[in-house]
Amino acid sequence: MSEMCQLSINVSIDIAEELMSHLWLIPELVTGCTCVPARGFGSRQHYRNIQEKIRGATERNLILLIVPQASVSLILTHINQKFKSRDCFYWVLPTIAFGYVGQGAFG
């Protein structure tokens, strides 16, 4: 089995659904994901409205995928080609094990 990793993609809530639609176009690379609400803090944030500016945080979504490490560059290339936004911040973490509780680890 190839080395697995977690690809995390942090995007504005305005574009999360569109990005996920693009991910479903590559089912050979993306078989599922988790999308959770998040807040973005930092100097590179682009506030969508006055409420976000007052709070000092932007409303974001965090899309989490467990994929083979070799697929990460293919997924990012697809996103870059098909999804025209510079508001996708990503990072990759090694995944030691994964699975469903009670069914054993797959990784």
Side-chain angles (χ1 to χ4, degrees), residues 18-34:
E18 182 182 356
L19 174 59
M20 289 183 58
S21 294
H22 283 283
L23 292 174
W24 301 139
L25 296 174
I26 48 174
E28 67 281 5
L29 299 174
V30 177
T31 59
C33 69
T34 299

Side-chain angles (χ1 to χ4, degrees), residues 11-19 46-49 52 59-61 83 85 87:
V11 298
S12 166
I13 61 170
D14 294 336
I15 59 176
E17 192 170 315
E18 182 182 356
L19 174 59
H46 302 284
Y47 302 112
R48 295 177 15 241
N49 53 49
E52 285 186 350
E59 298 299 320
R60 312 284 293 171
N61 279 108
F83 186 73
S85 176
D87 195 16

Side-chain angles (χ1 to χ4, degrees), residues 6-10 62 64 89-93:
Q6 177 183 300
L7 172 59
S8 303
I9 308 170
N10 183 314
L62 189 56
L64 308 170
F89 181 78
Y90 73 92
W91 61 94
V92 179
L93 299 170

Side-chain angles (χ1 to χ4, degrees), residues 40-84:
F41 299 88
S43 60
R44 296 191 62 177
Q45 298 303 314
H46 302 284
Y47 302 112
R48 295 177 15 241
N49 53 49
I50 192 69
Q51 288 85 5
E52 285 186 350
K53 193 168 188 172
I54 291 169
R55 270 195 314 264
T58 57
E59 298 299 320
R60 312 284 293 171
N61 279 108
L62 189 56
I63 300 169
L64 308 170
L65 302 97
I66 301 296
V67 296
Q69 188 167 354
S71 297
V72 171
S73 62
L74 298 170
I75 294 167
L76 294 175
T77 298
H78 175 83
I79 291 169
N80 191 45
Q81 291 174 349
K82 303 291 184 185
F83 186 73
K84 302 300 180 189

